[in-house]
Amino acid sequence: MDHLPHLNRTLDALDPPRWAPPASDATHLVRKVHELRGVPLGELCPADLRTLVSQQVALPYVLPLAVRLLLDEPMLDAYFYEGDLLLAAVNVPTSAWALFPDLAMRLRTVVMTLPEAATASLPRGATEELARFVARTESLR
């Protein structure tokens, strides 16, 4: 994929300004996101990508990484359940997908060809989220 430069760099370096340290009373999620901004992109695991994508942090850098995984394994269990990274990705705003229309179309094709059996185990409302993604990305063609 040609949207994967800078795998040895961190989000702090690529997505300025560098964030200040989290407050001492910050939630675990806030602390985790701050921590992930200091990890080189190439070292982010699927769970890290799910966290960053779902929190919409530095999407121009992390979304292509997530899609690369999803094209190979759309129902990947990144942390919580099978398909959790996919659902995080399809809920990204259309404006982020507009930066990568080719990736959006490739993921759209994957979503459209998922067998019903694969999506049956997803949480309630997931089928509708997938359908909304397919409809929203139609305009990116």
Side-chain angles (χ1 to χ4, degrees):
M1 236 181 249
D2 44 34
H3 298 295
L4 301 176
H6 314 300
L7 291 177
N8 61 335
R9 298 188 63 202
T10 67
L11 293 174
D12 275 340
L14 294 167
D15 185 41
R18 181 179 296 266
W19 290 10
S24 60
D25 63 345
T27 65
H28 173 74
L29 178 60
V30 169
R31 288 191 310 275
K32 182 66 175 175
V33 170
H34 278 258
E35 174 189 321
L36 292 175
R37 286 186 54 87
V39 175
L41 291 180
E43 295 178 21
L44 294 171
C45 71
D48 299 336
L49 292 171
R50 189 208 53 78
T51 298
L52 292 166
V53 169
S54 66
Q55 295 302 305
Q56 300 181 15
V57 173
L59 290 174
Y61 301 101
V62 298
L63 191 55
L65 296 171
V67 171
R68 177 177 63 175
L69 295 176
L70 292 169
L71 293 177
D72 289 337
E73 190 178 346
M75 296 303 291
L76 175 71
D77 180 345
Y79 189 74
F80 291 114
Y81 53 85
E82 286 186 358
D84 58 353
L85 181 59
L86 177 62
L87 289 179
V90 301
N91 283 300
V92 164
T94 305
S95 59
W97 285 112
L99 299 171
F100 306 106
D102 55 326
L103 294 180
M105 288 301 107
R106 291 177 69 190
L107 187 59
R108 181 179 190 271
T109 299
V110 167
V111 168
M112 291 173 57
T113 59
L114 283 173
E116 189 175 320
T119 60
S121 64
L122 292 172
R124 183 178 307 159
T127 304
E128 293 79 9
E129 292 173 27
L130 295 171
R132 279 193 297 276
F133 172 76
V134 167
R136 286 186 305 135
T137 53
E138 174 66 25
S139 65
L140 297 176
R141 282 187 193 216

